[in-house]
Amino acid sequence: MSLTPLTARFFPARGGRSLLIGMPEMRQSSLVVVANRLPIDDSAAPDGACEWRRSPGGLGSALHPLLRHTPAAWVGWAGGTGPAPRLPDIDGVRMHTVPLSPEDLRDHYEGFANATLWPLYHDAVEQPEHHRRWWEAYQRVNRRFAEATAEVTEPGAVVWVQDYHLQLVPGLLRDLRPDLRIGFFLHVPFPPPELFMQLPRRAELLRGMLGADLIGFQRAQAAHNFAQLVAKVLELPATDRRIDVGDRAVRVGAFPVSIDTAEMAALAARPDVAARARRLRQDLGDPDRVILSVDRMDYTKGIEQRLKAYRELLAGGHVKVPHTVLVQVAVPSRERVGQYQILRDRVEHQVGRINGEFGRVGEPAIHYLTQPFDRAELAALYRIADVMAVTPLRDGMNLVAKEYVAARVDDTGALLLSEFAGAAAELPQAYQVNPHDLEGLKQGLLAALRADPTDAMRRMRAMRAHLRDNDIRAWARSYLSALDDGDSLLTRLTTAG
Ligand code: ADP
Ligand code: F6P
């Protein structure tokens, strides 16, 4: 089974959702990735079939192309609640599902992970909430992940734990399986001490991470924040590269995550994708300039600020419909969390207002789409974007920015990029803006729209060259060689696919 199409369909067994032909036996693996979410999640189709969809989000986008056709296994949640469905291998990768009950979903995933840690780690752009019940659920679910991982991992194997949902897993797993080599990677920012210190259970979270042999962050600043906190809260000897925990040395470092650059470029260059891009542009009314934004609907992504800037540019007559159009893709995310519901309502209100004021019949100012798209459709969208506006208030990395650059196979286009995205450190040639500065955002958007083609091409070429050398395999190579001193597992992993 391949994930190339967005959905794969299975009809569930009577009384359950788990009848899958060719179901693998439980077997132990030599490399196990542990992440809150599997690279796919389930949803019911109208005809009763289960649809397994590639889940939008940076973690799956990064790891899925890396692991396919390798001997790896993936431990994670398949979406939904109730008993864990048994899944077939996906592109050769063994899937081990961890179940979440409705209480776990509410208190672990929506609560502690996404209403305490997520806002706190993103500069507290929304107010983090603290509830004791959420912390209990976080501990319970982390323990379940650690136990499931301990069961499916070969003696002496490598386990790679991902992201803020599972910060206690390295410590719990080390207690269960001291024979394992354990890595932890945080995809989101790690906050400065003055923010992290707000967490009532800060010491436990730090101790949990220190169960790993190697702790990876997106940015050097995050590694520095972590070392400072460990020294302050746990009173352990800590530098930005190494922390001594008893007789064990835990290494710390920055490993900026990336994308499968060659795959995105190849996809964007495909004749059918080029034809689809031409068709999309026609459907938009052949505008002079297309601005594109692709985000999960998340308050960290700066969607409201961006729409406000666009509205003011329209109101001031600096950009005009139908010569310029904005395509805003905003796939709904974490929809039961209050802050996300409020955001969606506000964004949709803004889009309606802008279209009402500045659109014409058949010529909206904003084309607003909330659907998940397959990779080819995303590549076609990237190809029609003269300007890609990626303006998060804070983002660990932002892979959409990198995907856009990779898809610009003719070296044209302009990337408008927030200074507060992790990607900004690697892509200095982008048109960088402070998304909190409305005037700066407007000027940046205009500069990107009016870019001199020669200058824009020079910038794009430099960014593309960077991403060719620093792709997802380079990321895995640098992380896993630091974790495992480079053995045959690493070679197999980074040359496969
Ligand atoms: P985050 O991890 O916060 O969602 P990233 O920009 O790092 O942010 O990653 C988002 C990933 O999700 C990208 O790989 C992007 O292609 C994918 N994605 C975003 N929107 C959609 C969509 N509408 N359909 C399919 N994939 C999407
Ligand atoms: O990048 C942070 C992250 O939480 C990833 O772990 C995940 O890929 C993405 O955001 C989407 O989030 P969720 O799993 O909550 O849909």
Side-chain angles (χ1 to χ4, degrees), residues 37 56-60 109 114 118 163-165 187-188 296 333-334:
R37 227 183 240 292
L59 192 154
Y109 172 72
N114 286 317
W118 178 269
D163 231 353
Y164 60 101
H165 318 82
H187 290 254
V188 301
R296 268 185 314 100
S333 181
R334 307 169 190 168

Side-chain angles (χ1 to χ4, degrees), residues 298-315:
D298 196 300
Y299 50 80
T300 60
K301 301 289 181 184
I303 302 171
E304 288 181 274
Q305 290 76 359
R306 191 189 306 142
L307 290 179
K308 190 166 182 195
Y310 182 57
R311 187 190 171 279
E312 289 198 8
L313 289 175
L314 286 166

Side-chain angles (χ1 to χ4, degrees), residues 1-3 39-40 64 68 87-95:
M1 179 183 144
S2 154
L3 270 182
I40 53 169
H64 175 252
R68 70 187 154 204
L87 296 181
D89 295 356
I90 304 284
D91 289 346
V93 178
R94 203 152 283 261
M95 298 284 136

